[in-house]
C-alpha cells in the first residue's frame, strides 16, 4: 500500500484551545506588566526605605513567577503541538501549569495567613498613607491584568485538521475552560482582592484605631485565596489524571452507538486539551459493521476530537 493512499486515514493531534494564541499573547503582556510593577516597587522601596513597598514588590514576584509558568506553558504547547513524542498532543500543558500555579497560590495563602496571625498577636505600627497608596497602585495593575485575562466563555471549537469531524451539537453543562488562563486570572484576582481588602482594612484602622482590622482581613483573604487554589487543584488535577467528567457526552455517545442490538461494552472518555475530548470505545454486535460506520454516528459532537472504536462479533453460546 502506497503512503499517499493512507492520507485520508491519518490525522494530527493538535488539541490546543480555540483561543490559544490570544491567551498566550495576553498572558505574556500581563507577565511584563507584573514584572515592571514588581521591579518598580522593589527599587522605590529600597530608595525610600519603605517596607510596605518592598514587601508588596516581593509578593508580586511570586505572582510574576506563576504567571510566567502559565505563559511558558502556552509557548511550549504551541511549539510542540505537532511533535510525535506526545501521544495525544500538548493540550494538557496548560493544566500542568495550572496545577503548579495553584500550588504556588496555596503557599501564598498560607504565607498571608501566617503573617496575619503574627500581626494579630504582635501588632506593628503601620504607615497608613503609604500602605494605602501601595495597595491602590497594586490594585490598578491587577484590574488591568484581570481585564486582559478575562475568559469570554466563548466555547466555539474551530477545526483542528482532524478527520473525525467537527462539532455542532451541544450538551447541558458541557463547557470547556482553559485551566491555564483560569490559573493566571485567579492569581491577579487574588492579588486584586488582597489589595481591596487591605485598603478597606487600612482605612478602618486609620480612622478607628482598630489595629487588628488589617490582620483580621488578611486572614479572611487568605482563606478565600486558599479556596480558589483548592478548586483549581481539583479541576486541573482531574484533567491530568484523565478523570471522566462529561457524563452528558458519554450518554449521547452510548445513545448514538447502541442501535440495532449493538452494545457499548467499554467506553473511556477524557480531556486532551481545552475543548477537546478523546474516546476509546468497544462495541459488540451480532452483525458487525466497519468501525468507520460507527464513527460516522458520532459526527457533529462538539468537543469529541479523537475517536478510536473497536468492533467485535457478539459471542454466542454453542448450540447443544
Amino acid at each position: 500500500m502506497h503512503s499517499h493512499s493512507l492520507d485520508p486515514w491519518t490525522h494530527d493531534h493538535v488539541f490546543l484551545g480555540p483561543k490559544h494564541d490570544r491567551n498566550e499573547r495576553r498572558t505574556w503582556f500581563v507577565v511584563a506588566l507584573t514584572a515592571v510593577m514588581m521591579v518598580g516597587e522593589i527599587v522605590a522601596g529600597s530608595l525610600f526605605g519603605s517596607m510596605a513597598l518592598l514587601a508588596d514588590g516581593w509578593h508580586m514576584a511570586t505572582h510574576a513567577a506563576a504567571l510566567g509558568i502559565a505563559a511558558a506553558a502556552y509557548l511550549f504547547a504551541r511549539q510542540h503541538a505537532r511533535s510525535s513524542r506526545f501521544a495525544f498532543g500538548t493540550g494538557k500543558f496548560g493544566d500542568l501549569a495550572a496545577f503548579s500555579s495553584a500550588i504556588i497560590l496555596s503557599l501564598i495563602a498560607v504565607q498571608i495567613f501566617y503573617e496575619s496571625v503574627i500581626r494579630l498577636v504582635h501588632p506593628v505600627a503601620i504607615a497608613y498613607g503609604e500602605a494605602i497608596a501601595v495597595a491602590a497602585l497594586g490594585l490598578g495593575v491587577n484590574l488591568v491584568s484581570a481585564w486582559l485575562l478575562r475568559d469570554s466563555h466563548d466555547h466555539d471549537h474551530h477545526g483542528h485538521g482532524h478527520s473525525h469531524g467537527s462539532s455542532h451539537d451541544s450538551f447541558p453543562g458541557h463547557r470547556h475552560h482553559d485551566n491555564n488562563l483560569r490559573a493566571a486570572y485567579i492569581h491577579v484576582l487574588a492579588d486584586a482582592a488582597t489589595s481591596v481588602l487591605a485598603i478597606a482594612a487600612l482605612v478602618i484602622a486609620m480612622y478607628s484605631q482598630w489595629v487588628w482590622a488589617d490582620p483580621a482581613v488578611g486572614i479572611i483573604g487568605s482563606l478565600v485565596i486558599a479556596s480558589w487554589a483548592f478548586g483549581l487543584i481539583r479541576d486541573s488535577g482531574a484533567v491530568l489524571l484523565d478523570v471522566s467528567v462529561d457524563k452528558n457526552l458519554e450518554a449521547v455517545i452510548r445513545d448514538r452507538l447502541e442501535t440495532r442490538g449493538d452494545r457499548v461494552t467499554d467506553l473511556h472518555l477524557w480531556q486532551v486539551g481545552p475543548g477537546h475530548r478523546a474516546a476509546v470505545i468497544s462495541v459488540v454486535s451480532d452483525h458487525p459493521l466497519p468501525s468507520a460506520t460507527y464513527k460516522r454516528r458520532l459526527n457533529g459532537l462538539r468537543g469529541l476530537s479523537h475517536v478510536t472504536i473497536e468492533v467485535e462479533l457478539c459471542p454466542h453460546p454453542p448450540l447443544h
Side-chain angles (χ1 to χ4, degrees), residues 190-235:
D191 226 13
T194 305
S195 298
V196 169
L197 290 171
I199 291 168
L202 288 166
V203 169
I204 291 168
M206 186 167 62
Y207 288 107
S208 65
Q209 295 306 306
W210 292 346
V211 182
W212 53 265
D214 184 42
V217 166
I219 290 171
I220 294 168
S222 70
L223 295 175
V224 171
I225 293 168
S227 72
W228 289 345
F230 175 76
L232 196 54
I233 287 170
R234 182 193 60 217
D235 293 346

Side-chain angles (χ1 to χ4, degrees), residues 251-264 283-289 293-298 311:
V252 173
I253 289 171
R254 286 184 182 277
D255 185 58
R256 289 199 180 188
L257 294 179
E258 293 188 332
T259 60
R260 301 170 191 163
D262 296 345
R263 284 287 171 265
V264 172
V283 177
V284 296
S285 174
D286 288 325
H287 306 287
L289 299 169
T293 304
Y294 295 94
K295 285 185 181 182
R296 277 196 294 272
R297 294 182 190 174
L298 302 180
V311 189

Side-chain angles (χ1 to χ4, degrees), residues 241-261:
L241 293 172
D242 295 331
V243 172
S244 180
V245 292
D246 202 335
K247 297 302 178 188
N248 290 322
L249 184 53
E250 281 189 16
V252 173
I253 289 171
R254 286 184 182 277
D255 185 58
R256 289 199 180 188
L257 294 179
E258 293 188 332
T259 60
R260 301 170 191 163

Side-chain angles (χ1 to χ4, degrees), residues 41-60:
E41 285 191 343
I42 291 171
V43 170
S46 301
L47 288 175
F48 303 123
S50 165
M51 278 308 297
L53 271 173
L54 265 177
D56 199 59
W58 288 114
H59 174 70
M60 287 199 86

Side-chain angles (χ1 to χ4, degrees), residues 8 10-11 13 19 63 76 83 85 93 97 106 128 157 166 186 232 243 259 275 293 319:
T10 59
H11 51 265
H13 295 85
K19 292 187 174 180
H63 285 287
F76 190 91
S83 170
R85 289 191 302 136
F93 267 96
S106 61
Y128 292 111
H157 307 303
S166 68
I186 286 177
L232 196 54
V243 172
T259 60
T293 304
L319 296 173

